[in-house]
């Protein structure tokens, strides 16, 4: 894999606190803006504009990797896809795995418009991130999904809140898998870069994993990572 230079991480003006409040409707893709204006303000009876918006998740790269000049790197959709697959392997019989998969696939959906904001973003704090993401999920459900499928809109919003407030055991597992997936990706990038990049700052999240099953998953990653860095000079000659 050739490592070309990454595009610049969004700079200060991108995230600097705007004079106007950030709104989802100001951040939809141009092709959707023109579809909206052609359809007037009538409710959207077709799913196509929403599917165009979801493409943004396939395009937008995860900021945490851009911060470390990892390029090429995964998109937001890549992250949620692997989480979805991971939820299918949960062995705990008391958990509704299908609900876990739904939550995994929508938990970062607002990032299609908001973008991927890291916990250490200097310009957007946790409260503002939540405000933008909530406004976006409500906007997507009300404007783009509900006119086509009201039940789907209600379920997506409910699943998103479930995750956001960790309202269920399913959400608890998905939050653990969110941390597990990023840490596994860290280790995979550290290995890809032959130890040149050390993503140790991400691994404080290990202590935040609560379920025994995902704890057993991350323990194996930590064990393999420790072994890798103990021997990186021999392994990567
Ligand atoms: N620079 C850092 N970035 C981090 C850290 N932990 C997570 N992240 C990144 C990973 C994603 O790009 C983004 C948020 O991911 P979500 O799945 O929660 O939306 O933040 C870190 O310790 N340092
Ligand atoms: Mn996530």
């Amino acid at each position: 894999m050739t490592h070309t230079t990454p595009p610049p991480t969004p700079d200060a003006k991108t995230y600097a606190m705007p004079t106007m409040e950030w709104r989802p409707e100001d951040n939809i893709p141009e092709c959707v803006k023109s579809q909206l204006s052609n359809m007037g303000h009538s409710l959207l009876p077709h799913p196509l504009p929403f599917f165009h918006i979801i493409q943004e998740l396939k395009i937008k790269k995860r900021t945490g990797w851009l911060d470390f000049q990892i390029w090429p790197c995964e998109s937001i959709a890549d992250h949620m896809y692997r989480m979805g697959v991971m939820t299918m392997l949960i062995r705990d019989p008391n958990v509704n795995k299908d609900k876990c998969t739904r939550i995994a696939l929508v938990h970062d959906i607002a990032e299609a418009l908001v973008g991927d904001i890291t916990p250490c973003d200097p310009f957007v704090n946790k409260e503002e991130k939540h405000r933008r993401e909530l406004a976006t999920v409500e906007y997507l459900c009300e404007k783009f999904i509900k006119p086509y499928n009201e039940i789907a809109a209600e379920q997506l919003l409910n699943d998103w809140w479930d995750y956001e407030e960790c309202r269920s055991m399913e959400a608890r597992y998905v939050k653990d898998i969110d941390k597990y997936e990023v840490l596994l990706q860290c280790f995979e990038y550290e290995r890809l870069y032959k130890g040149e990049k050390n993503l140790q700052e991400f691994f404080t999240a290990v202590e935040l994993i609560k379920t025994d099953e995902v704890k057993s998953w991350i323990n194996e990653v930590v064990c393999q990572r420790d072994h890798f860095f103990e021997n990186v000079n021999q392994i990567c000659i």
Side-chain angles (χ1 to χ4, degrees):
M1 173 185 281
T2 51
H3 300 298
T4 53
T5 46
T9 306
D11 60 21
K13 70 175 183 310
T14 311
Y15 282 132
M17 286 309 288
T19 46
M20 280 206 341
E21 188 171 68
W22 187 96
R23 302 186 312 165
E25 54 268 45
D26 301 328
N27 291 277
I28 55 178
E30 283 310 313
C31 67
V32 175
K33 275 187 185 150
S34 50
Q35 278 183 340
L36 285 182
S37 53
N38 295 341
M39 288 176 163
H41 292 283
S42 64
L43 287 179
L44 291 160
H46 303 289
L48 182 57
F50 175 64
F51 295 156
H52 280 319
I53 290 171
I54 296 304
Q55 188 200 205
E56 293 298 304
L57 295 169
K58 295 168 72 172
I59 296 170
K60 288 189 164 91
K61 300 301 184 184
R62 293 253 285 167
T63 311
W65 316 130
L66 299 179
D67 285 353
F68 280 82
Q69 290 76 50
I70 292 169
W71 187 259
C73 66
E74 64 161 1
S75 69
I76 300 165
D78 292 329
H79 158 66
M80 288 200 280
Y81 171 73
R82 184 159 69 167
M83 282 180 62
V85 174
M86 288 172 171
T87 61
M88 296 173 189
L89 270 67
I90 295 170
R91 279 200 302 221
D92 185 336
N94 303 310
V95 159
N96 176 341
K97 285 190 298 183
D98 292 347
K99 182 176 175 185
C100 291
T101 307
R102 282 202 327 262
I103 294 174
L105 292 179
V106 305
H107 83 285
D108 283 340
I109 199 166
E111 295 181 12
L113 301 186
V114 175
D116 179 36
I117 298 169
T118 70
C120 36
D121 187 287
F123 301 103
V124 182
N125 64 27
K126 204 172 165 195
E127 292 70 27
E128 175 59 12
K129 177 178 187 289
H130 172 75
R131 187 195 68 78
R132 293 184 185 186
E133 292 181 351
L134 174 56
T136 299
V137 174
E138 287 179 332
Y139 174 67
L140 293 177
C141 288
E142 191 59 30
K143 180 84 178 172
F144 293 93
I145 305 175
K146 185 176 174 183
Y148 180 73
N149 184 330
E150 187 164 355
I151 295 170
E154 196 179 323
Q155 183 173 63
L156 190 147
L157 186 59
N158 195 42
D159 287 343
W160 185 85
W161 269 118
D162 219 273
Y163 181 84
E164 193 67 5
E165 296 193 328
C166 203
R167 289 176 176 171
S168 63
M169 203 52 211
E170 286 75 16
R172 175 70 270 154
Y173 266 92
V174 179
K175 278 196 177 285
D176 278 3
I177 289 173
D178 181 61
K179 295 176 181 65
Y180 173 75
E181 201 283 332
V182 69
L183 295 175
L184 178 56
Q185 190 63 68
C186 281
F187 177 41
E188 289 162 338
Y189 283 142
E190 287 169 332
R191 222 168 28 184
L192 183 68
Y193 278 85
K194 302 186 176 6
E196 288 159 26
K197 294 195 186 280
N198 187 312
L199 303 172
Q200 182 57 40
E201 75 176 54
F202 288 72
F203 282 80
T204 50
V206 171
E207 306 314 315
L208 304 177
I209 293 176
K210 301 274 191 287
T211 58
D212 291 342
E213 188 166 359
V214 183
K215 276 182 184 172
S216 68
W217 295 1
I218 194 60
N219 290 343
E220 180 55 28
V221 172
V222 168
C223 189
Q224 287 193 18
R225 180 174 183 260
D226 290 350
H227 177 76
F228 170 76
F229 276 108
E230 280 159 16
N231 302 283
V232 62
N233 297 328
Q234 284 73 29
I235 296 172
C236 300
I237 290 170

